Amino acid sequence: MNAIVNCEPAKILIIDDHTHSRMAVKDLLSLDGYEVIETEENFNIVDNVLKKRPDLILLDVMMPGMEGFEVCQCLKQDERTSAIPIIFMTVAEDHQLRRRCAQVGGDDVLTKPIERSLLSSRVKSLIEQKRLYEGLDQIEQVLFAIARAIENRYPNNGNSCARLATLANSFGQYLQLSFSALQNLRYAAYLHDIGTVSIPDEIMLKKGELTPEEREIIQQHVLIGEEICQPLPNRRGVLPIIRHHHERWDGSGYPDGLVADEIPWLAQIFQILDIYVALTSERPHKKIYTPREAIEIITEEAAKGWRNPELVHHFTNFIYIREPVINN
């Protein structure tokens, strides 16, 4: 997997007091073309980061002096460094650690020894997210900040918005979509559920089946999200995705009960991507499905009449190319 194409290679700072650990991660990242700098110092951290100007930080949880959580909190609370993604590295991960990571503003957690493919994909996604954010105007930055805060309400989501944006870009290129369509899909990856800001946690995180009234409240999030994002003058193509990504091919979806190609094309694409990432991500009350299992579920939904069968066929081929391991 190659590093992001840009005028300069992305710069990654590794903060870890274990020399061998730093060297192992540095070797993996160097293979992807990143500029990697390393340090074991975690004092005067804001000044040090401002001097080094990294695009992303890999931070060990257990550090002498200030532990990783304190370092992260310092960086995220300073507006000069708050936009830099931070991935925690730990030898033992659990739900409590992920929750603490989210509380201090961390963007992801990786367990040592770190697998190369996982490291590459997470780093690439977060750097793309940072550079996308840097290109936003003031209104867009506010909306993205709200969307990020919503994502942090649920710390066990595996950084799904960044994963969704990367997958949307890859599948969009596979379908040979236009540059503007790719942009709309990437923006939708971060903004599609912004309307859930209005839904109480007791409904969003409820265990067991929702009541009809609760289901109706949740379904309002697409309309609220569309309204919230109306001020985006240059991103009008995102609005139909936000509104219609829960429609179904047979007309049984919401909010408008659109049928087949009445559903906007990008919304048809996005809903399949959204389902796939949700199935293959950690959630509070469900298991993680493998890529093969996720494809089987989406194929079953197409057979029920919920998804565009031709588009599901294209997506299946795309995933089998992207994840050749599921062929074994």
Side-chain angles (χ1 to χ4, degrees):
M1 185 178 296
N2 294 325
I4 298 168
V5 176
N6 205 338
C7 296
E8 298 179 355
K11 184 188 295 184
I12 298 173
L13 172 62
I14 303 171
I15 305 176
D16 192 331
D17 62 315
H18 293 95
T19 303
H20 292 300
S21 178
R22 293 200 310 270
M23 290 176 60
V25 176
K26 181 176 181 178
D27 289 344
L28 293 177
L29 293 169
S30 297
L31 292 172
D32 289 337
Y34 295 110
E35 178 185 350
V36 184
I37 50 180
E38 52 183 306
T39 182
E40 59 183 37
E41 298 294 334
N42 57 5
F43 297 101
N44 300 319
I45 189 63
V46 172
D47 290 339
N48 287 336
V49 167
L50 287 172
K51 291 176 184 177
K52 293 178 171 64
R53 302 180 63 84
D55 293 290
L56 181 141
I57 296 171
L58 283 160
L59 175 61
D60 190 34
V61 171
M62 300 302 297
M63 297 278 288
M66 291 178 67
E67 67 171 10
F69 294 126
E70 294 178 83
V71 172
C72 180
Q73 195 162 29
C74 286
L75 293 171
K76 292 296 185 177
Q77 289 177 345
D78 193 302
E79 64 178 13
R80 297 170 298 174
T81 55
S82 61
I84 302 173
I86 295 176
I87 299 177
F88 283 109
M89 300 181 293
T90 178
V91 294
E93 179 193 345
D94 56 29
H95 295 303
Q96 187 64 33
L97 187 144
R98 278 197 171 271
R99 189 175 297 111
R100 180 67 175 135
C101 164
Q103 288 172 346
V104 297
D107 297 274
D108 210 337
V109 178
L110 293 177
T111 307
K112 299 178 182 179
I114 297 175
E115 181 188 342
R116 186 196 168 195
S117 61
L118 187 59
L119 175 67
S120 296
S121 63
R122 297 292 174 83
V123 166
K124 183 175 186 291
S125 294
L126 286 170
I127 290 176
E128 286 179 343
Q129 176 180 315
K130 175 178 179 286
R131 289 182 169 172
L132 175 65
Y133 182 83
E134 289 171 343
L136 303 178
D137 64 27
Q138 191 170 10
I139 293 176
E140 292 169 337
Q141 287 184 5
V142 170
L143 293 179
F144 269 68
I146 294 172
R148 180 63 177 156
I150 292 169
E151 188 177 25
N152 284 339
R153 290 167 74 186
Y154 317 111
N156 296 324
N157 61 13
N159 198 37
S160 61
C161 286
R163 288 184 58 220
L164 182 52
T166 298
L167 186 66
N169 192 65
S170 297
F171 185 50
Q173 290 177 341
Y174 176 84
L175 295 175
Q176 298 183 330
L177 300 183
S178 67
F179 176 75
S180 62
L182 293 175
Q183 274 198 323
N184 288 331
L185 287 173
R186 288 197 299 268
Y187 274 74
Y190 296 100
L191 299 175
H192 66 289
D193 278 341
I194 195 171
T196 60
V197 69
S198 66
I199 300 175
D201 281 349
E202 55 263 30
I203 295 179
M204 289 296 295
L205 297 177
K206 181 180 178 181
K207 297 180 180 179
E209 189 172 348
L210 297 172
T211 66
E213 292 77 16
E214 290 168 337
R215 191 173 293 108
E216 185 176 348
I217 290 172
I218 284 183
Q219 290 179 357
Q220 292 299 308
H221 83 275
V222 296
L223 303 178
I224 296 168
E226 180 187 38
E227 184 176 356
I228 291 173
C229 292
Q230 285 289 345
L232 294 173
N234 301 318
R235 315 293 177 190
R236 308 301 293 179
V238 177
L239 299 181
I241 303 175
I242 294 173
R243 183 182 180 99
H244 296 298
H245 71 279
H246 285 290
E247 303 283 1
R248 289 178 177 172
W249 190 248
D250 62 2
S252 64
Y254 65 88
D256 301 314
L258 301 183
V259 177
D261 285 327
E262 291 177 353
I263 306 170
W265 175 235
L266 291 184
Q268 293 182 41
I269 295 170
F270 186 84
Q271 64 178 221
I272 294 174
L273 299 168
D274 190 28
I275 293 165
Y276 179 82
V277 169
L279 290 171
T280 56
S281 296
E282 185 177 4
R283 291 291 191 270
H285 308 302
K286 79 163 195 62
K287 72 169 189 175
I288 299 176
Y289 290 94
T290 66
R292 181 192 296 276
E293 291 170 332
I295 287 296
E296 289 173 353
I297 291 171
I298 293 171
T299 301
E300 289 171 3
E301 291 189 348
K304 291 178 182 178
W306 294 358
R307 314 292 167 215
N308 179 335
E310 183 179 354
L311 188 55
V312 169
H313 174 72
H314 287 309
F315 183 70
T316 299
N317 290 340
F318 163 75
I319 291 297
Y320 271 74
I321 293 171
R322 189 173 188 264
E323 307 278 358
V325 68
I326 68 176
N327 286 304
N328 298 331

